[in-house]
Amino acid sequence: EAGVVQSPRYKIIEKKQPVAFWCNPISGHNTLYWYLQNLGQGPELLIRYENEEAVDDSQLPKDRFSAERLKGVDSTLKIQPAELGDSAVYLCASSLGTGQAFFGQGTRLTVV
Amino acid sequence: TQLLEQSPQFLSIQEGENLTVYCNSSSVFSSLQWYRQEPGEGPVLLVTVVTGGEVKKLKRLTFQFGDARKDSSLHITAAQPGDTGLYLCAGRISSGSARQLTFGSGTQLTVLP
């Protein structure tokens, strides 16, 4: 069975440019998470979806970040415009309710 | 303020030594998980503990959940270079947003051959 798939794996952009990340969760998993992880630190939750509904987005910087999960399956996370401080790894995870969360390999974003 | 505090933040030891990593909080957790993450990969679940005082063993790794379900520890016996990685604890709180999975600050372990 395929795991959580994220793309791209790496992205380098100039500051003020837009960027988007894509996540395909494990089939059947209704809960989807987006996390931000700085080097050597623990992941920090940005947004959590239950099916297509964003049920926890309190940590999402809404002035520049947006996310969507149309049809309750795939999800995209967008940053516009990107800032230097947004450089990090963006992790997507999925689970069946409060069951085990499975993580993708992440997208490493570098803003120059 | 970090909900889950891990210590130490960095740990470098020789192969064959034992070590313990701690995860502490002032909040009560309905469950607590330990993950291991290697460079360029996402975290991979090692164990889930749900009962206060619970002890689980996974080969050379021993996980303990505190009686009050506010803290946990990971003990590795006879560490090997393959144990090198970032160890993360993560918990679901007992009230409020129980479905939210909150991570600790991480412990970077390096085992030298």
Side-chain angles (χ1 to χ4, degrees):
Chain A
E1 180 182 351
V4 176
V5 179
Q6 291 187 246
S7 67
R9 286 294 311 276
Y10 306 93
K11 189 72 176 180
I12 301 175
I13 62 170
E14 294 183 342
K15 62 181 180 181
K16 300 184 181 180
Q17 294 301 306
V19 65
F21 314 125
W22 176 79
C23 174
N24 179 230
I26 291 174
S27 178
H29 281 191
N30 60 324
T31 304
L32 185 146
Y33 312 78
W34 280 103
Y35 286 89
L36 177 153
Q37 186 177 27
N38 290 304
L39 186 63
Q41 299 293 314
E44 301 170 30
L45 182 69
L46 291 172
I47 190 169
R48 174 170 59 88
Y49 282 92
E50 297 283 350
N51 300 303
E52 67 275 7
E53 182 183 359
V55 295
D56 185 354
D57 63 354
S58 58
Q59 302 302 314
L60 189 72
K62 298 181 181 64
D63 57 335
R64 297 183 301 107
F65 285 65
S66 65
E68 60 181 12
R69 192 185 183 196
L70 299 176
K71 301 181 180 179
V73 182
D74 294 0
S75 178
T76 56
L77 177 68
K78 298 178 182 178
I79 308 175
Q80 182 172 12
E83 297 179 351
L84 295 176
D86 296 331
S87 295
V89 174
Y90 291 83
L91 292 166
C92 178
S94 71
S95 67
L96 188 60
T98 57
Q100 180 180 345
F102 293 83
F103 284 81
Q105 292 180 300
T107 296
R108 180 177 294 278
L109 173 67
T110 303
V111 182
V112 298
Chain B
T1 302
Q2 196 83 26
L3 186 62
L4 281 163
E5 296 288 345
Q6 285 187 238
S7 61
Q9 185 177 359
F10 299 97
L11 188 56
S12 182
I13 61 171
Q14 293 294 135
E15 182 177 3
E17 293 183 351
N18 302 331
L19 67 113
T20 302
V21 176
Y22 300 93
C23 176
N24 296 292
S25 177
S26 57
S27 300
V28 177
F29 292 95
S30 58
S31 67
L32 195 137
Q33 301 174 333
W34 284 93
Y35 291 78
R36 178 168 165 265
Q37 185 178 22
E38 296 189 29
E41 302 292 330
V44 176
L45 181 67
L46 296 174
V47 77
T48 299
V49 286
V50 296
T51 305
E54 182 176 4
V55 177
K56 281 192 174 180
K57 292 189 176 183
L58 183 64
K59 296 183 180 179
R60 295 176 294 101
L61 279 60
T62 302
F63 305 86
Q64 186 165 5
F65 201 13
D67 291 341
R69 290 185 288 133
K70 293 182 177 182
D71 56 87
S72 180
S73 64
L74 158 61
H75 182 79
I76 301 179
T77 303
Q80 300 176 359
D83 295 328
T84 294
L86 180 67
Y87 288 82
L88 298 159
C89 64
R92 296 189 190 275
I93 59 175
S94 291
S95 61
S97 182
R99 292 181 179 270
Q100 180 172 319
L101 187 61
T102 301
F103 281 82
S105 47
T107 295
Q108 181 63 54
L109 171 65
T110 302
V111 182
L112 303 170

